Amino acid sequence: MSEQPASQPTNKWIYVVRAVRPDLLQTGPTETEMATLGRHGAYLEELKARGVLVFVGRTLTTGPETFGLAVVEAADEARARALVDADPVVSEGLMRAELHPFFIAGMRALG
């Protein structure tokens, strides 16, 4: 595995999302929340089709510790932040997001 100094620029960004309503997965989404989640899925598919999305997933827990994450490619933090802010779960207030520069230190071949 290679190492990247913290000061070296990156084009990979990780964003972590957590539900604003902690019991979302325990009680189930409302109709409005379900519609937002549908737009979120479509948005991620769009990022994937554009070659921006590296990978996406979520924990399989259902409590307040649950989170989802996406790794995206963007030239700089402003562009990465724009991707996060355009995600319907963020822009519609269903989830709050954290953005961090990210370095993939190693990965097995997929397939």
Side-chain angles (χ1 to χ4, degrees), residues 7 19 23-24 36 41 44 46 48-49 59 61 71 83 85 91:
S7 61
D23 66 341
L24 174 70
T36 300
L44 294 173
E46 174 194 333
K48 182 174 136 186
T59 60
T61 57
V71 174
L83 292 171
D85 291 346
S91 66

Side-chain angles (χ1 to χ4, degrees), residues 83-101:
L83 292 171
V84 173
D85 291 346
D87 187 328
V89 294
V90 177
S91 66
E92 297 177 28
L94 185 61
M95 298 189 185
R96 64 186 179 281
E98 300 171 10
L99 178 67
H100 304 278

Side-chain angles (χ1 to χ4, degrees), residues 27-85:
T27 61
T30 65
E31 282 187 40
T32 301
E33 291 168 337
M34 185 61 87
T36 300
L37 290 169
R39 287 187 291 279
H40 167 67
Y43 178 70
L44 294 173
E45 285 298 320
E46 174 194 333
L47 293 182
K48 182 174 136 186
R50 290 175 31 204
V52 172
L53 181 67
V54 178
F55 68 86
V56 64
R58 61 161 284 227
T59 60
L60 295 178
T61 57
T62 59
E65 74 284 357
T66 300
F67 64 91
L69 65 87
V71 174
V72 295
E73 291 182 334
D76 55 39
E77 185 172 358
R79 289 184 180 127
R81 172 62 58 199
L83 292 171
V84 173
D85 291 346

